[in-house]
Amino acid sequence: MFTPSQHDVRRFFCETYQKTQKHGILTPMETIASGWIAQHPEYHDALADTEAALQADYSVDQGKTNPFLHLSMHLTIAEQISVDQPKGVRAAFQQLAHQFNSEHEAHHQIMEALGEMIWTSQRTGLPPDGQSYIEALQMRCR
């Protein structure tokens, strides 16, 4: 399993943004990332300067959204939907996209449930509970 460091993730998004601006050739993963970057223009300034991005502090007490975490979660959710893992995430996404008339908003709804599952796992020391995650998504579909 590939486990990128914080710097690896930040570099990936910054380089993808910069390649996109220069109309460079993108890898398949960069192509997916560039789509999410395009939908978040509020992050473009942070992505334009790699060195500043590597040093930026997005801790909770700073009160700023971490653009790299947010974009990473979009990529994670896109991958989950593409392979339907955990089972049921694709159906939940489709229902949420229809319910909110927006795939982007559906991603944000899923992101909240994903964040809750990760937070619970970290707090309890137990592995992430995919079934609870799917149940939380199904609750959002009502």
Side-chain angles (χ1 to χ4, degrees):
M1 178 185 288
F2 177 64
T3 6
S5 70
Q6 179 185 74
H7 282 143
D8 293 335
V9 170
R10 290 179 182 203
R11 247 184 238 296
F12 168 77
F13 283 110
C14 289
E15 289 172 2
T16 298
Y17 173 73
Q18 293 159 16
K19 281 170 88 173
T20 302
Q21 295 304 299
K22 295 176 184 174
H23 305 288
I25 296 172
L26 303 175
T27 67
M29 183 62 76
E30 289 170 336
T31 300
I32 296 167
S34 71
W36 289 112
I37 290 168
Q39 292 188 52
H40 288 282
E42 69 275 21
Y43 299 155
H44 292 180
D45 287 345
L47 298 168
D49 184 345
T50 303
E51 291 310 311
L54 295 176
Q55 302 305 316
D57 180 12
Y58 294 103
S59 59
V60 174
D61 55 318
Q62 293 294 318
K64 296 187 283 185
T65 299
N66 182 333
F68 305 99
L69 175 60
H70 188 87
L71 292 169
S72 293
M73 289 184 79
H74 273 302
L75 285 182
T76 297
I77 293 164
E79 177 67 13
Q80 288 179 344
I81 293 166
S82 75
V83 296
D84 197 26
Q85 280 299 322
K87 187 84 173 136
V89 71
R90 184 182 298 143
F93 164 73
Q94 291 167 340
Q95 177 140 359
L96 288 166
H98 177 75
Q99 181 176 326
F100 288 97
N101 198 30
S102 166
E103 290 185 359
H104 196 164
E105 181 56 31
H107 260 247
H108 284 203
Q109 292 293 317
I110 294 169
M111 196 177 291
E112 287 184 32
L114 178 60
E116 290 168 10
M117 179 189 67
I118 292 168
W119 180 82
T120 299
S121 173
Q122 290 173 337
R123 187 175 48 91
T124 62
L126 298 171
D129 184 350
Q131 185 57 42
S132 292
Y133 173 47
I134 294 302
E135 289 169 7
L137 292 179
Q138 290 169 340
M139 292 290 289
R140 291 173 185 278
C141 291
R142 297 183 181 155

